[in-house]
Amino acid sequence: MESRRIAVVGCGYVGLTTGACLAKLGHEVSCCDVDGEKIARLRRGEVDIREPGLGELVAEGAATGGLRFTRDNRQAVSGAEVVLLCLPTPMGADGDADLGAVESVVGDIRALLARGAVVVTKSTVPVGTAERLGRLLGREDVAVVSNPEFLREGHAVEDFLNPDRVVVGADEPRAAELVAGLYSPLGARTVLIDPVSAELVKYASNGFLATKLSYVNDLAELCERTGGDVEAVTEGMKRDHRIAPSFLRAGPGWGGSCLPKDTAALLRTADTASVELPLLRAAVRANGHHQARVADKVVDRCGGDVAGARIGLLGLTFKAGTGDLRDSPALAIARLLADRGAQLRGYDPECAQLSAVAGVRCVGDAYLAAEDADALVLLTDWPEFAELDWAKVAEVMRAPVLVDARNQLDPREPGRAGITWRGTGRTLR
């Protein structure tokens, strides 16, 4: 593999992971970010992002000199053969991705790019962005390539170094081969396609996963009405080789930094193209419905009214293994309960330092969240919740009621402590 000079613009979890992993593969990487304090911390070897193995990779890259950090675009981009854009593309008011940060950086660096350089969008961007950035650059000697990332928060390093596939969208064969070559030591299957198709791959993948999750939650509701067990149903489904076993777990709905904004952007693209995508629209509606169902279960367990009731929340992040609160279903459910007058106390291992979030008073441990509670709701399946002393939990609660929205627990454990357990798509037998 030929070592390349690479600039990574943006040091969030995608950019930092990408830069550190490419340095490990033997490339010379300069990472830049507008946040001067973040750059100073990274130069000291301080990694704030919760990603297993990332801190070690950053330290290793810095020690070998293959990974450097700067706030200066000129310093990072000048002389780089490949410039990777790993910038935020949040959902705009119209549902489409906001390209403000991406376009600003492209405007800043276009005169700095070396002749023959390749600009790569790693950020999730709308269809047509490669062409749009090419016009903005105004450089016939610089190619724009789409190379979407498929990194899961909490597993980003693992996913980068063990990819299912590498997708490269380019109109120029030389640029496509250059970008694909960056990943050659990984031995992953490379999909070389046009830029528009590459831009659609990420949205299409996340739209399918969101639909799959909503479908499983629909099945969970059906199981509750018919006496079935959704975990038994999905176990049977997983045995079918045509159905991948991932994303077949019922829960409180989906959220996070990707699925909500990517489904919205895909629907926006469909609207622009006069395409309906009815399945995806139904999946988005169903997600809101299933979040409301969790809140309804809590209300039901509290006698039909939670006004003035104290509710304890276990877990606030959108999933275990990350400190990300963005579009967390836990917070969506918290808002629904707060709107009905509930007093909320919440605990999350990654958010214990917070005093309050979204109307939730944050406390330092799970037992404080349960103290004097009329009901307890398990919303994020952190491993430590499975190890709680349920007799102690029952002792501190005002009413021993637990809604396990993740089906994390063996219901017999809280049951032995006298706690009434209710799961998602499951009935006690």
Side-chain angles (χ1 to χ4, degrees):
M1 180 203 75
E2 185 176 353
S3 176
R4 298 292 186 180
R5 295 189 305 279
I6 299 171
V8 176
V9 184
C11 292
Y13 91 90
V14 172
L16 187 58
T17 301
T18 298
C21 288
L22 287 173
K24 179 178 177 61
L25 296 181
H27 300 291
E28 182 183 328
V29 182
S30 292
C31 294
C32 61
D33 197 283
V34 295
D35 188 336
E37 292 184 3
K38 179 189 291 186
I39 292 299
R41 290 194 299 271
L42 289 171
R43 285 174 173 171
R44 295 193 298 267
E46 300 172 9
V47 176
D48 299 333
I49 301 171
R50 181 189 173 101
E51 285 294 341
L54 183 56
E56 293 82 352
L57 279 183
V58 169
E60 178 185 325
T64 62
L67 182 63
R68 295 185 298 274
F69 299 98
T70 179
R71 191 181 176 185
D72 186 350
N73 281 344
R74 179 180 297 275
Q75 189 177 38
V77 171
S78 297
E81 299 168 87
V82 181
V83 179
L84 300 172
L85 303 179
C86 302
L87 297 157
T89 54
M91 184 166 60
D94 60 358
D96 212 342
D98 183 349
L99 289 178
V102 174
E103 292 179 341
S104 176
V105 166
V106 168
D108 290 343
I109 68 173
R110 60 185 169 189
L112 305 175
L113 295 167
R115 184 171 183 80
V118 176
V119 173
V120 180
T121 55
K122 292 293 289 182
S123 307
T124 305
V125 295
V127 173
T129 297
E131 181 181 359
R132 184 173 174 178
L133 296 185
R135 292 195 303 269
L136 182 59
L137 280 170
R139 295 272 305 264
E140 292 185 1
D141 61 313
V142 174
V144 179
V145 171
S146 175
N147 175 217
E149 53 85 15
F150 302 99
L151 307 180
R152 296 169 297 163
E153 289 191 47
H155 301 272
V157 172
E158 174 190 353
D159 289 346
F160 189 101
L161 297 177
N162 302 279
D164 294 322
R165 76 287 202 198
V166 173
V167 175
V168 178
D171 290 324
E172 297 183 16
R174 180 197 69 84
E177 291 169 6
L178 175 60
V179 174
L182 302 179
Y183 307 95
S184 59
L186 301 177
R189 182 172 59 181
T190 302
V191 182
L192 299 178
I193 51 182
D194 63 275
V196 169
S197 297
E199 290 161 349
L200 273 171
V201 166
K202 178 65 180 289
Y203 287 126
S205 296
N206 279 349
F208 180 80
L209 295 177
T211 302
K212 192 174 182 182
L213 286 170
S214 287
Y215 177 63
V216 171
N217 283 332
D218 286 345
L219 291 177
E221 183 175 10
L222 181 61
C223 285
E224 290 177 12
R225 300 289 182 89
T226 60
D229 185 330
V230 73
E231 293 199 352
V233 172
T234 54
E235 186 61 31
M237 293 170 65
K238 292 174 186 177
R239 304 296 179 179
D240 188 327
H241 70 276
R242 298 167 300 176
I243 302 174
S246 60
F247 285 74
L248 279 180
R249 186 177 179 189
W254 41 266
S257 62
C258 292
L259 294 190
K261 77 178 184 67
D262 289 355
T263 52
L266 184 55
L267 289 173
R268 175 65 176 168
T269 299
D271 285 340
T272 303
S274 298
V275 175
E276 180 58 26
L277 293 188
L279 290 178
L280 185 59
R281 293 185 191 279
V284 173
R285 288 194 300 271
N287 193 49
H289 168 70
H290 292 300
Q291 291 172 356
R293 281 205 329 118
V294 176
D296 288 342
K297 288 179 184 178
V298 178
V299 174
D300 178 64
R301 290 295 172 176
C302 290
D305 186 8
V306 290
R310 178 170 289 176
I311 309 298
L313 309 178
L314 297 182
L316 301 172
T317 56
F318 86 93
K319 69 174 183 176
T322 178
D324 200 340
L325 295 168
R326 287 176 290 179
D327 279 304
S328 169
L331 297 187
I333 292 162
R335 284 190 291 270
L336 291 172
L337 291 170
D339 288 344
R340 299 190 193 191
Q343 299 174 9
L344 305 175
R345 280 188 184 180
Y347 166 69
D348 189 286
E350 275 295 298
C351 303
Q353 77 282 1
L354 296 176
S355 59
V357 57
V360 181
R361 177 188 168 194
C362 297
V363 294
D365 65 51
Y367 301 104
L368 288 174
E371 189 173 32
D372 293 328
D374 296 292
L376 193 61
V377 194
L378 198 161
L379 294 168
T380 312
D381 51 350
W382 288 98
E384 70 176 68
F385 296 152
E387 305 300 323
L388 291 176
D389 181 340
W390 291 103
K392 181 178 178 180
V393 172
E395 183 180 335
V396 300
M397 291 184 72
R398 185 154 54 200
V401 172
L402 171 65
V403 175
D404 182 357
R406 295 278 184 177
N407 291 336
Q408 182 184 12
L409 307 175
D410 179 342
R412 293 172 295 185
E413 293 297 322
R416 278 191 283 266
I419 297 175
T420 300
W421 175 93
R422 185 172 180 185
T424 300
R426 304 191 69 195
T427 55
L428 291 177
R429 297 182 184 280

